[in-house]
Amino acid sequence: MHHVLRRLDLNLLPVFDAVFRHRSVRLAAAELAMSTSALSHALTRLRQFLNDPLFYRDGHRMCPSVYACELAPFVADALATLNQQLAPVQPFDPLTSHDCFRIAVTDYTAFCIFPGLMQALEHAAPNLRFELRYLPHNPALTELLAGEIDLALSFSEPDGLSDPDLVETDLFSDEFIVISHRRRTRLTLEDYLAARHLVVTPWNEKQGMLDLHLARLGLARRIALRTPSMLGAPFMVTGSDLLMAIPSFVADTFEQVVNVSRFPLPFAVPRFTVKIYSHRRSGTRKATDWLKGVISRTITGKAHYAPPSPPPPP
């Protein structure tokens, strides 16, 4: 493998690139901080190795051969890539950094976290960029382990992926409540089961979390509408007889713009904890750790915050 590279002095490639760009031994030597005789000697060695004259002298100019013209763009690209990738890692400075963070989210976690986060970063890190990727829980963690994303914002699931390289940081706990049109004044379990329901299924799943809890009780609800997006769902509820279960964090905001009433779920469902998932051996650990801290400080400033529920007694 790499049988050509093992025989080639790679220090000769910057010499070739400089001569090709400047068409001058003198200017290439000045750029590389070499004497003209040392550069000429290096060029001779490269000519012998490649078995091609590479450059012809025409007065004071070095004119490239056909082969040199074909070779030059590949050498330039390779040198530029190596120079970029092998540069020492610079200390992370949020005020000047232009880093781009790739983060796996859902409608819900993006809604909870990013309005406050972008406001917090407006002056503290004005040049940071984000790419949000909508991914289910396990695929998000798989991409995190593969290095395709920097963070995942999700909550643990019973069959969630487990790996020693995953780091979980608790953000806040939340719970489901029910929203309805304003005409409804009560919501018993019988009312809940008799009503029609709107269910948000972002990944086109057949059953939602609440359906699984109801099934354990031997119950089922009447699902009239499934939609992949949480954004328009409350507006569908306010003008119909539909019920919708929604995390209380989201309901707090929607109640300010949508004419709905809220009720507690008429059956017991444990609270859930929203978490930041990161990779233990992240190559940008200082940057990701800093961002995790900002997210945590931003979210804990919300009035609805409650610490994660303690585990049940054994």
Side-chain angles (χ1 to χ4, degrees):
M1 190 175 182
H2 307 310
H3 60 281
V4 174
L5 294 179
R6 288 202 305 268
R7 295 185 292 114
L8 173 64
D9 180 356
L10 297 181
N11 290 315
L12 301 179
L13 296 182
V15 170
F16 170 84
D17 179 67
V19 174
F20 185 86
R21 286 185 288 105
H22 291 293
R23 302 294 202 268
S24 165
V25 169
R26 180 180 61 82
L27 294 178
E31 178 183 296
L32 299 174
M34 301 172 64
S35 66
T36 55
S37 60
L39 189 138
S40 295
H41 178 68
L43 193 56
T44 298
R45 291 173 56 203
L46 189 59
R47 284 167 167 157
Q48 293 171 347
F49 180 84
L50 297 175
N51 194 27
D52 188 270
L54 298 179
F55 299 97
Y56 301 92
R57 185 173 293 280
D58 182 8
H60 295 292
R61 286 178 57 80
M62 300 292 286
C63 298
S65 68
V66 172
Y67 178 58
C69 290
E70 294 173 348
L71 185 62
F74 296 101
V75 171
D77 286 347
L79 291 175
T81 300
L82 286 172
N83 190 61
Q84 179 180 358
Q85 297 300 322
L86 297 178
V89 177
Q90 298 298 313
F92 176 69
D93 180 0
L95 196 60
T96 60
S97 174
H98 287 75
D99 283 359
C100 180
F101 290 93
R102 301 158 299 172
I103 302 179
V105 297
T106 65
D107 257 1
Y108 166 64
T109 56
F111 185 94
C112 291
I113 292 164
F114 270 86
L117 177 62
M118 297 311 293
Q119 182 178 3
L121 297 181
E122 184 176 359
H123 299 294
N127 299 310
L128 285 187
R129 294 171 294 122
F130 297 90
E131 291 181 5
L132 303 187
R133 302 185 184 180
Y134 283 76
L135 292 170
H137 182 72
N138 279 350
L141 299 188
T142 298
E143 292 216 6
L144 180 61
L145 290 169
E148 295 297 321
I149 57 175
D150 301 298
L151 296 172
L153 302 175
S154 185
F155 44 87
S156 56
E157 297 181 355
D159 58 347
L161 184 65
S162 177
D163 190 281
D165 283 333
L166 288 174
V167 178
E168 300 180 16
T169 303
D170 291 352
L171 279 179
F172 65 95
S173 72
D174 202 354
E175 63 182 350
F176 282 98
I177 58 94
V178 181
I179 60 173
S180 166
H181 58 65
R182 284 287 189 184
R183 298 184 302 278
R184 187 180 294 277
T185 58
R186 67 168 198 170
L187 185 66
T188 65
L189 180 58
E190 290 75 17
D191 296 330
Y192 185 86
L193 296 176
R196 301 189 309 150
H197 292 262
L198 181 156
V199 180
V200 177
T201 53
W203 323 120
N204 299 314
E205 57 267 38
K206 298 300 182 183
Q207 277 191 311
M209 182 188 302
L210 297 186
D211 296 299
L212 297 176
H213 283 286
L214 285 169
R216 295 189 189 103
L217 300 173
L219 304 172
R221 56 182 174 173
R222 297 171 55 204
I223 298 176
L225 175 61
R226 297 180 188 271
T227 176
S229 174
M230 181 181 63
L231 183 61
F235 297 92
M236 302 176 194
V237 168
T238 189
S240 70
D241 64 348
L242 294 171
L243 297 181
M244 177 186 176
I246 190 171
S248 65
F249 192 123
V250 180
D252 291 345
T253 300
F254 278 151
E255 277 187 300
Q256 300 174 29
V257 294
V258 183
N259 190 27
V260 293
S261 295
R262 63 189 289 165
F263 303 91
L265 274 176
F267 56 96
V269 175
R271 296 176 69 92
F272 58 89
T273 301
V274 177
K275 302 183 177 186
I276 307 175
Y277 291 84
S278 56
H279 197 299
R280 192 175 302 279
R281 295 194 296 269
S282 171
T284 55
R285 184 165 180 79
K286 289 183 179 178
T288 53
D289 280 354
W290 175 86
L291 182 59
K292 285 162 60 177
V294 175
I295 292 173
S296 296
R297 291 190 296 274
T298 300
I299 206 71
T300 54
K302 302 293 183 182
H304 83 290
Y305 173 79
S309 302

